[in-house]
Every structure is written in structure tokens, then in C-alpha cells.
Amino acid sequence: MDEPNAGIGRRDLLPGPARALASVLELWDSIADSGGRDLVLEGGSGSGKSSVLRAVQDETDDDCEILVGAEWSREVPYAMLGQLRTRDPIWQSVDGECSASDRVQIAESLLEELQSEDEEKRIVVLDDIHLADPESLQIFSQLGRRLRGTRVLLLIAVDPKTSAKVDPDFLRMTTSPVSERVTIPDFGRADALELARARGVYDIGEHGASVLVAQSSGRLRVAQEILSLLPESRWPADPADLPLPDSVIREVLDPIEATGSAEVSDVASALAILGGPQDLARIASVASLHDPGPAVDLGVAHGVFRERNSAGRLTLALSRTTSARVIMAAMAPSTRRQFHERAADSAYREDERLVHLATAALGADGELARRLRDSAAVAERFGRWADAAELHFGAARVLAPSADRDDELLAGIDALASAGRVVEVLPWIDIGKNIAPSTLRDTVLANVAIHRGHAAQADDLLSRAAAAPTDDDGLTAQIALRRTLDSLVRWDGPKVREWANRAMSLGGVDEPANVESHAMRALGFAAQGKIVEAKEDLEDLSDRHLTGAQNQRVRLCVGWVSMLAGDLREAVREFEAAVPTQYERGSLRISLWAHGWLARVQYLLGEWDEGLRTAEIGLRRADSANISLVAPLLNWTAAEIKLWRGHPVDEVMRRADSSAILSDYLAMQVPARLVRAVAANVRGDHDGRAAALRPLLDVDSWTQDRASFWPWSTEYVDALITLGHSDQAQQVAADFKKNTAEAREHIRAQSALASARSHQDTGDIPAAEADFARALELFTRSQQDTATAQVLLRRGQMLRRANRRREAVESLVRAREFYEGVGATVLIKRCDQELRATGMSWRGMSETDNGRGAVKSSVEAGGYVPLTPQEMSVADLVVQGMTNAEVSRKLFIAEKTVQYHLTHIYGKFGIRSRTELAAVHLSGDVPSV
């Protein structure tokens, strides 16, 4: 454990550790009433876990004991346990012998002491448990399972990376469902900003915060050390100039030096130069070793290297993310050049060989610059933007200061932005701004501005670039391409098509600008509701058999159009094909869009766990790359799932980009507003819900010539009705229905749901019921299970208010069953509230209601038999005379599933036929309300 610092409290912690501390103290406060228990505090090295423990000690004062494991005492039985304050000394073993019966006796005597009536409330903290003696942990594993009768909180600090070294029985106790668990969130960009500003570093910016997270490997302690080493607390323009803390240098170099092998050092240097996992043959060549095997074995044993198996290919990599930078910094310049020359000689690809030659060059080399530039053009043609960037920067490195060198620098910046590696672009921005003003410079800086979500800046730069006279068709095509992307994220279909056609007219069919513009033009058709034309455009591209990022882009756009067409399964396949980047050297920015829409489709299909996982992976990558443009889309799905699952609203909204709701880019603004609307809905703040969505009437309305991409109209109608604004709700619902009359089924389902709510509000129940039925049919047909559940809940609410209680229960129970399956606790509670309001003792009622006692007493009294929600639905339809096939179609489940439920129902009632089911199921009719 780190050395304690006096007076660490809640205000001194970052939000993540502070929330963890609050959870610990909340449980501590409840110990006196609810009894003792064990609590696991999980966090990696440098996560702030030690700071939380010190703050716990400060807050709980003399009631807290911290027991710490140590390497030197690990072989001493009961060494950790001996640190515990007890009335009688802990039994000590003789000659290291300690039988199981001894351990049981010690555990029982300790438990008896802790259970005494005069025992004060206390908190016992176990830290560095991977260094604790097994005997102590075995006793604590016995105690941890029996703390309810005590007034003790056993707080166990766990690092996932060291848990394999912990006693297995103790580890099972910490991972059991009985144990409470608090996880310190990863150190992220928002934490980095707050930490830097608390340290007086105000010029860090969001991209600098992303760099700080990356350079510290997400470790709070290392980030603090980096900030403390900044000269005059000023953030450097180039992250390469960030100081390396001595602790980071030592954790990289000490294991290398501990091997005492020059060959291990050479292998490490080779890996640092090569910049990623490599096979042994390549490593041997660059390290100039005949047989690297012994050095590799020694390095793996000391934690310098780690083996990786990727697609059946065994490679070697440096163990730490910071290793390459530390090792490169420790190498002499001449040694670095020598290693780069060897890397060039052994390169498998020509473009990689050229980059290493450029890095090893001692001065200007015009011929090498030409070869680098030609190779970059080939990489761009295949959409390998990251490779193209390295080649352009390599060319700039071997050119004397000149306009040609400036053009290569700008081309490298543009390629990095196109690859989605915005964090790596940002240090070059100042260099780019110092280049003489030109049309190319404005176009390149506009590309970066778009990906950072700076709409006004992008528009200004592109307007200036377009106004400048030029006879360079390639540059004009590049400007048109950027305008196409700018129009797309504004969801301006006519402009997307206009600019895409212009870009395509200025270059050959194989040029990058042509392929990108062609793909985006299809989305321009889709934005105008012309799905057939969009699909035809994409079929033309698919016939070209594109590879790499170009194929990735087409797969993304096909998925996008499939989603708009309501073919969600096809959309999933295409988005999944567009997600990977590593094998075909694709673009991260395309991958992030694919993550965002894949997560949304998974959510719509009812696959909430998969949707949340996809969105959070994308969010982490978007944060590390600082691609702000796509973050609101990714956060939309992640936040909505968390909010419906009952996560604290303030905590969820802390992740949202508050500036996105004001963006001119609808791709940022609309998802951000939808998240705000859901948060307000969860809070019951319908004024806030309507306020979040109202501006979209002006910027994202459906018209006869324009199709919105986001499902906000139905939510807005519901919010207006809840607020009593009936006239306005009716107008919005009517306009929505009129303008979507020819739209795809899932869109017509949304308008039917809005119309149903409007009719319900005016008291026209038959019309509302017809619209609900239509929405249910259309959503079911398009497999939108999440939207189907929403319709069932709304329909159940209407039927309950119309005093059609039995039908209301059927609808509400089906909605509840879905929400229970996806863990939507907020919506489960709403279903339960409506079910209770029916006055019916519905079969399978939640045990959190008056259910547990009611079900038990009813069964014992010979009353109704408790059925699950789905069993109740099946029974209700069967007693109406429906066949299994008819029931399966009615409930949208398989016929085999109907028979499965019937078998269980018969068993519960102790019957054998449908006739008997009708008799027993309907005999105990519900009481009148």
C-alpha cells in the first residue's frame, strides 16, 4: 500500500474514486442496523484504490483497522491475521504447522468475539491480499461468510491483475453473489481534465486529457506523477515531450536489467523500433541475433515480453504500453538509426521499409521522398490511411524546408484524420497552422474539425477553400468530399448528393474521393426516404470488390441503409463486418460509426447486454482517439440502457457531452437530446423531457422530402400529452403520420404509436386500440422487441384506464416479461405499478409487491396457482379455444415454446387437458375493484 497521506477526504478524490468511497461509507453507515458483511473494492494498480482506503480510514477514525499483506511475511502463518486487534492474542503455529482444525478453532473464537453484544461497530480493511499468507486468508474466508451476526464491515481491496495469486477459497468468497462489490471506474478523459486543472494545468484541453490517459495507461497515480513533472505546469504542444516519471522508467527498465542479458535488451529494442507484436524471425533479424529463443524465454520469465497468439500466429510483444517509449528514449541516436536500418532490410512490405529508411536518414533525400510519396498514393487508393500518413510524414522528414515538404505534412495530417487517429493528429495541428495559408491547408484542417465535431470551424474553412481559385481537380474533389461528409453529419440529403456528385465527377472511379463520395451519396438518397435508390447505389459499389477501408466503408453504408429499411438482421451483419480494423488495415473512424449503429440495432432487437458492450467498447476507443463527432451516438445507446436499468441518473449523465446538444451536426445533437429526454423521463421530469426534444421540430422534422434518422417524434408526443398539451401533441402526431405514410414499416409503427397516444388522450379508445395494434404488428414484423415492449406497456396503461383490466394485465405482463429479461428495473417498476392499479391478483406477480405472501397464502388456501407472466398469457389464450399454432402467432413465440409452457401449467394445476385447464383457470375469477 502507498505511504499514507494525512487528511485525505472526499473532496480530494476524483469523481470515480469519490463515488467508490461514497458507496463504501453508505454500507458502513448501515452496518449497525443490517448486520456485518464483506465488501470488495475492486481497482487496478494506480486506480486510486489506496486513496479510497486512506479516505475510509480518515472518515471512520478509530473504528478502522488496515491489515496489509507483505512479501517477506507471506510464508509466516497468520502474519496478516496477527495485525488484527483482538482481546486475546492470535494463536501462533509451532514450526510452521497449522492444521485445518486449528484454523476452524481460530475462526470460531474470532467470530464469537465479534458477535458479543458490547462489540462496537468496526471496519477491517484487507489490502495487498496477493501478498498475504494463505492461513490468514482462509480464516477470513470463514469469517466473511458469517458476518451477518456481527457489526463488522470486512473491506477487501482487490486488483484483478493479481487475483490469481490469492488463496482460491478466499477468492471464491469475494466473488460470491453474497459479497457486495464496488468497482473504481477507469481513469478517463473527464478525470484527467479535472486532475490537471486541480494541479494548475489549464492548457491541457480534451486531446491532452486523452493523451494523459494513454501515457499513464489509465493509472491515476502515474497521471499525477506526469503532471507533477511538467515544467511550470504547462502542457507541451507535442505529447512526445511529456516527461516520463521515474516510476514508469523503472518498471520498464528494471526487469530488463534484472535479466543481466544484453540479448534481452536487444530483443526489447527491436520490438520498440518495430512498434508492435512481431514473429521471432523478424525480431532476430532486427536484433541481429542468430537464435533469439533463450533471450525470449528469459524476457518472458522476467515480465519483459509476453507471447500473443493471433489467428494461429505466435508473436512476441512488450509487456507494457509505455515500454516502447521508455526504451526508445534510453537508446543512443546512432543505435536507433542502426535498428531502423535493420528493420528496413527485414520489412515484409515496401511501404514499411521506406518508412524505416526515412527514420534512419541523416538528411534530405529527394529520391527517397519520391518513393515515399508514390507509396502513399497507393495506400490512399486502397483506403489504408494510417499507412499513408506514415509515408507522407516520412517523405516530409527527408525533404528540405519547401512548399513540397509543407504539402507532405498536410497530406499526412489529412490521412491521420481520415484514419480516425485524431489524438495523433492534434500535435501536428500547430505545425499545420504555421504552414503558409493555402486551399490545401484549409481543406485539411476542415477534415480534422469535422471529426472533432467543430461544425462552425469546418464550415468556415471549407467555404474559404471552395472560394479560392484552383485548377487542381484532385484538390477540388477533396473539398467536395469534405463537404459531402459535413452534409452527411448534418443529415442534409440534397446537399450530400450534390457534393458527392461533384466529387465523383472530378476523379476516376478508383480514386479514394470517388469511392467515399459514392458510398455517402447512397445515404443522401436515404435521407430523402429513397431507400430503393440508396440500395442500387451501394450495389454498384459492392460489385467493385473493394478491400480494406474502402470495403469497410461500403459495409458500413449498406448496414446504415439496411437499418433505415427496417432489415435489422441484415444491418447487424453489415455493421459487424465494418467494425474490425486490424486485419485489413481499415479506418478507426469508420469502425466507430459501425460500433455506434451496431449497438443501436442490438438494443432495438432486445439484445441489451450486447448493445451496451458494443457501445462501451466504441466509447473507449472514441475517447482514446478523441473523435468527438461519433461519441454522442455511442453514448446514446449506452446511456439509455443504463438509465432504464436504474443506474444513478447523475452518474450516467456525467458521461454525456453537454455541448453536443447545441451542435449544428445532427449526428451529435439528436442523440444527445434523446439521452436528456430519457434521463428526464426516468426522473419524472416531463417538462425537461419536452424541452430536450422541442428544438428538433425545427432542425430534424419529417417532411414529404426529408426523412429523419432518429425516433424522437413519438417520445415528444408522449411528453406533450403527459404535460397536458393536447392540441400541440395532436398536431405533431398528425404531421408525423402524414409525412411517414409511404415510409418503411418500422417508421409507420412509430407514427402509429404516436397516433395511438393522441387518440387515447382525446378519449377515442377504439381508434387508439387500432393504432396500438398496428404498431404492435409492424414492430413485431421488423423484430424490434424493445419497441414492441414499449407498445405493450402503453397499450396496457390505456386498457387499465378504460377498465378493461384483464386485457390490460395481459399486455402489461408481456411488457414486464421483456423488461425483466433485459434488466430494465425502472420499466419493471412502472409495469408493476400499472398491474397493481388493475386491482387484479395477476398470476406470477412480483415478489416485491404484495406478491410473496399473497401467492403463498392463496396456494395454501386452494386459490389460484401462481403462473409466470408467459404461462399466464398462454393459459388465457388456450382457454379461449386457440390451438398451439394460433397461440404461437398471437404471442410471437415458437409453437414448441407454447407446448413447453402448457406442460408446466398442467403440472402446476395437476391436470391433463385443455378442458380441465379452462375449469381451474377460470374458476377463481378476480374480485371486483
Side-chain angles (χ1 to χ4, degrees):
M1 183 172 170
D2 299 339
E3 288 298 317
N5 296 333
I8 292 183
R10 305 186 194 205
R11 292 184 180 179
D12 302 302
L13 298 174
L14 288 175
R19 290 195 294 274
L21 173 63
S23 298
V24 173
L25 295 177
E26 181 180 358
L27 187 57
W28 165 247
D29 290 339
S30 71
I31 288 295
D33 298 324
S34 61
R37 68 195 73 179
D38 60 286
L39 172 64
V40 176
L41 176 66
E42 187 176 60
S45 173
S47 64
K49 186 167 73 269
S50 294
S51 296
V52 172
L53 295 182
R54 289 196 294 269
V56 167
Q57 188 177 31
D58 288 341
E59 295 272 351
T60 56
D61 202 19
D62 293 336
D63 297 323
C64 181
E65 299 175 68
I66 297 184
L67 316 185
V68 185
E71 185 71 56
W72 66 270
S73 63
R74 191 173 187 180
E75 303 303 320
V76 180
Y78 309 111
M80 174 181 266
L81 191 63
Q83 301 172 43
L84 186 66
R85 294 196 306 262
T86 58
R87 287 197 295 264
D88 299 316
I90 295 296
W91 180 84
Q92 298 293 320
S93 65
V94 179
D95 296 330
E97 295 182 3
C98 39
S99 66
S101 61
D102 292 331
R103 293 194 287 278
V104 172
Q105 182 180 347
I106 294 171
E108 290 297 331
S109 63
L110 273 176
L111 187 63
E112 184 179 347
E113 179 177 326
L114 296 174
Q115 287 176 330
S116 62
E117 293 183 3
D118 59 345
E119 182 67 27
E120 292 294 326
K121 190 170 75 162
R122 65 199 291 197
I123 180 168
V124 177
V125 177
L126 306 185
D127 196 16
D128 289 341
I129 55 174
H130 64 291
L131 300 176
D133 62 281
E135 293 79 9
S136 292
L137 293 184
Q138 287 165 9
I139 289 174
F140 278 119
S141 71
Q142 289 289 313
L143 291 174
R145 294 179 171 95
R146 302 171 64 187
L147 287 174
R148 284 291 183 177
T150 72
R151 294 159 62 87
V152 176
L153 175 62
L154 182 63
L155 178 58
I156 307 163
V158 172
D159 182 343
K161 290 185 178 179
T162 61
S163 59
K165 301 177 182 178
V166 177
D167 175 76
D169 186 60
F170 182 83
L171 195 61
R172 278 193 294 274
M173 186 267 290
T174 65
T175 56
S176 74
V178 178
S179 296
E180 303 276 353
R181 199 170 201 89
V182 172
T183 301
I184 299 177
D186 293 338
F187 177 72
R189 190 167 66 186
D191 297 316
L193 279 170
E194 187 166 335
L195 179 65
R197 288 163 183 167
R199 296 296 184 96
V201 182
Y202 299 106
D203 55 347
I204 180 172
E206 290 203 357
H207 66 278
S210 298
V211 171
L212 182 59
V213 172
Q215 296 284 27
S216 64
S217 302
R219 293 180 292 175
L220 172 60
R221 171 175 49 79
V222 176
Q224 291 171 325
E225 292 175 5
I226 291 173
L227 292 171
S228 68
L229 293 173
L230 290 178
E232 300 178 356
S233 296
R234 298 192 64 180
W235 187 258
D238 188 343
D241 295 331
L242 274 179
L244 284 167
D246 187 61
S247 63
V248 172
I249 294 171
R250 294 312 341 146
E251 73 179 5
V252 172
L253 297 184
D254 283 352
I256 298 174
E257 294 169 3
T259 66
S261 168
E263 292 187 344
V264 170
S265 179
D266 287 341
V267 170
S269 297
L271 285 169
I273 290 291
L274 293 170
Q278 300 291 331
D279 59 61
L280 291 186
R282 183 84 193 279
I283 292 168
S285 177
V286 177
S288 193
L289 295 175
H290 174 68
D291 180 13
V296 169
D297 291 344
L298 189 59
V300 169
H302 281 76
V304 179
F305 314 128
R306 56 188 172 89
E307 290 183 316
R308 296 179 59 179
N309 195 327
S310 178
R313 176 172 172 256
L314 190 64
T315 59
L316 194 71
L318 292 165
S319 293
R320 295 173 175 82
T321 55
T322 53
S323 293
R325 186 173 173 222
V326 171
I327 292 168
M328 295 275 281
M331 295 169 70
S334 59
T335 305
R336 281 199 300 270
R337 285 194 297 274
Q338 186 180 46
F339 272 87
H340 276 296
E341 288 168 355
R342 292 180 194 156
D345 291 340
S346 63
Y348 298 137
R349 301 194 330 270
E350 176 65 9
D351 53 0
E352 184 187 358
R353 190 174 81 83
L354 293 173
V355 169
H356 282 296
L357 288 175
T359 308
L362 290 172
D365 186 334
E367 175 58 22
L368 179 58
R370 182 191 64 75
R371 291 163 62 195
L372 284 157
R373 188 185 299 116
D374 291 346
S375 190
V378 173
E380 288 170 345
R381 188 167 294 114
F382 289 97
R384 292 177 10 235
W385 295 110
D387 292 341
E390 282 193 293
L391 292 160
H392 282 303
F393 288 138
R397 193 177 291 116
V398 294
L399 284 171
S402 61
D404 284 346
R405 180 177 182 275
D406 290 347
D407 286 350
E408 289 304 310
L409 285 171
L410 289 170
I413 293 171
D414 195 57
L416 269 185
S418 296
R421 292 162 62 170
V422 176
V423 165
E424 296 172 55
V425 168
L426 295 171
W428 291 94
I429 293 298
D430 287 337
I431 297 173
K433 289 178 179 177
N434 289 328
I435 293 173
S438 67
T439 304
L440 176 61
R441 191 191 78 157
D442 288 343
T443 306
V444 169
L445 294 179
N447 191 21
V448 178
I450 291 171
H451 288 92
R452 297 182 69 192
H454 297 172
Q457 182 183 7
D459 183 61
D460 179 61
L461 288 164
L462 288 171
S463 298
R464 201 160 61 200
T470 179
D471 55 3
D472 184 343
D473 284 349
L475 181 55
T476 305
Q478 197 172 0
I479 296 169
L481 173 62
R482 302 302 172 229
R483 272 298 189 192
T484 306
L485 177 59
D486 180 76
S487 300
L488 177 61
V489 291
R490 296 176 191 270
W491 203 236
D492 186 338
K495 285 293 184 184
V496 170
R497 292 173 57 195
E498 175 188 337
W499 286 109
N501 286 331
R502 180 160 175 73
M504 292 167 65
S505 70
L506 293 167
V509 293
D510 293 328
E511 292 297 320
N514 186 293
V515 175
E516 288 188 53
S517 299
H518 196 157
M520 286 189 283
R521 185 179 70 177
L523 298 175
F525 279 117
Q528 293 180 278
K530 300 178 180 180
I531 302 297
V532 174
E533 292 89 335
K535 288 185 173 182
E536 289 174 350
D537 234 11
L538 290 169
E539 285 172 4
D540 291 343
L541 277 176
S542 298
D543 291 342
R544 296 191 195 177
H545 305 294
L546 301 166
T547 61
Q550 303 290 35
N551 178 62
Q552 186 189 12
R553 178 175 291 101
V554 174
R555 298 276 67 79
L556 170 65
C557 292
V558 172
W560 214 333
V561 171
S562 297
M563 181 182 175
L564 284 167
D567 189 348
L568 299 191
R569 290 299 175 189
E570 175 68 16
V572 167
R573 288 192 290 273
E574 296 298 336
F575 288 141
E576 286 180 340
V579 161
T581 62
Q582 62 270 44
Y583 297 119
E584 295 193 31
R585 311 183 72 78
S587 168
L588 176 60
R589 66 184 173 112
I590 300 173
S591 176
L592 290 176
W593 283 109
H595 272 93
W597 290 121
L598 175 60
R600 196 66 202 170
V601 174
Q602 289 169 329
Y603 171 74
L604 294 174
L605 288 168
E607 299 165 358
W608 285 28
D609 288 338
E610 292 85 348
L612 180 59
R613 183 164 52 250
T614 300
E616 291 196 321
I617 289 171
L619 275 170
R620 286 196 295 273
R621 293 179 181 174
D623 271 349
S624 62
N626 202 11
I627 302 180
S628 303
L629 180 63
V630 73
L633 169 64
L634 290 157
N635 190 55
W636 175 25
T637 300
E640 186 163 358
I641 292 173
K642 288 180 179 179
L643 287 165
W644 290 133
R645 284 181 168 177
H647 289 232
V649 175
D650 290 342
E651 182 178 315
V652 174
M653 295 307 293
R654 193 177 291 114
R655 179 64 187 77
D657 179 2
S658 58
S659 65
I661 65 164
L662 302 176
S663 176
D664 289 336
Y665 288 152
L666 292 187
M668 297 179 72
Q669 181 184 162
V670 182
R673 289 192 176 279
L674 285 165
V675 169
R676 285 201 172 193
V678 174
N681 193 349
V682 170
R683 287 191 179 110
D685 174 16
H686 298 290
D687 279 314
R689 185 178 168 207
L693 299 174
R694 188 174 294 116
L696 299 181
L697 281 173
D698 297 324
V699 298
D700 192 48
S701 279
W702 276 81
T703 67
Q704 294 295 326
D705 300 318
R706 182 186 183 280
S708 171
F709 200 88
W710 295 272
W712 59 268
S713 298
T714 302
E715 287 301 306
Y716 186 48
V717 168
D718 190 73
L720 290 173
I721 290 171
T722 307
L723 291 171
H725 301 164
S726 299
D727 291 345
Q728 190 178 355
Q730 289 173 37
Q731 185 63 55
V732 174
D735 289 345
F736 187 33
K737 190 169 187 176
K738 179 184 69 175
N739 290 322
T740 58
E742 303 300 322
R744 295 283 164 156
E745 287 185 346
H746 64 289
I747 301 300
R748 298 203 308 275
Q750 288 284 353
S751 67
L753 179 55
S755 180
R757 289 288 289 124
S758 179
H759 286 309
Q760 177 190 350
D761 184 48
T762 60
D764 189 349
I765 301 305
E769 191 169 7
D771 279 330
F772 274 128
R774 183 63 174 157
L776 194 60
E777 176 192 356
L778 294 174
F779 277 137
T780 304
R781 195 181 296 166
S782 60
Q783 297 182 295
Q784 293 203 25
D785 288 0
T786 297
T788 298
Q790 181 189 23
V791 176
L792 288 168
L793 174 55
R794 296 293 186 201
R795 176 175 174 270
Q797 290 171 324
M798 178 196 72
L799 292 170
R800 198 268 297 172
R801 287 162 177 76
N803 205 31
R804 292 162 61 179
R805 292 169 293 133
R806 190 175 187 85
E807 294 169 274
V809 168
E810 177 189 351
S811 192
L812 291 166
V813 166
R814 287 174 59 195
R816 188 189 190 283
E817 186 172 55
F818 172 80
Y819 291 134
E820 192 169 28
V822 297
T825 55
V826 172
L827 294 167
I828 291 170
K829 289 177 182 176
R830 291 187 182 180
C831 289
D832 287 348
Q833 288 169 354
E834 292 292 333
L835 285 163
R836 284 194 298 270
T838 64
M840 297 178 67
S841 297
W842 55 279
R843 297 168 178 84
M845 66 167 56
S846 168
E847 292 187 354
T848 59
D849 302 329
N850 57 347
R852 178 176 296 184
V855 168
K856 186 173 186 294
S857 61
S858 180
V859 172
E860 291 174 350
Y864 76 81
V865 174
L867 302 179
T868 68
Q870 189 74 303
E871 287 170 351
M872 187 186 96
S873 298
V874 169
D876 285 346
L877 296 176
V878 166
V879 298
Q880 293 175 37
M882 289 189 181
T883 65
N884 286 5
E886 289 171 333
V887 173
S888 73
R889 288 193 294 272
K890 182 75 173 177
L891 297 181
F892 312 107
I893 58 178
E895 194 170 340
K896 287 183 178 180
T897 306
V898 175
Q899 184 57 52
Y900 171 85
H901 287 311
L902 266 179
T903 302
H904 278 261
I905 293 166
Y906 289 171
K908 288 183 176 182
F909 281 108
I911 58 175
R912 297 182 180 180
S913 70
R914 293 170 181 255
T915 304
E916 290 178 282
L917 175 60
V920 298
H921 185 54
L922 298 178
S923 61
D925 204 358
V926 296
S928 60
V929 180

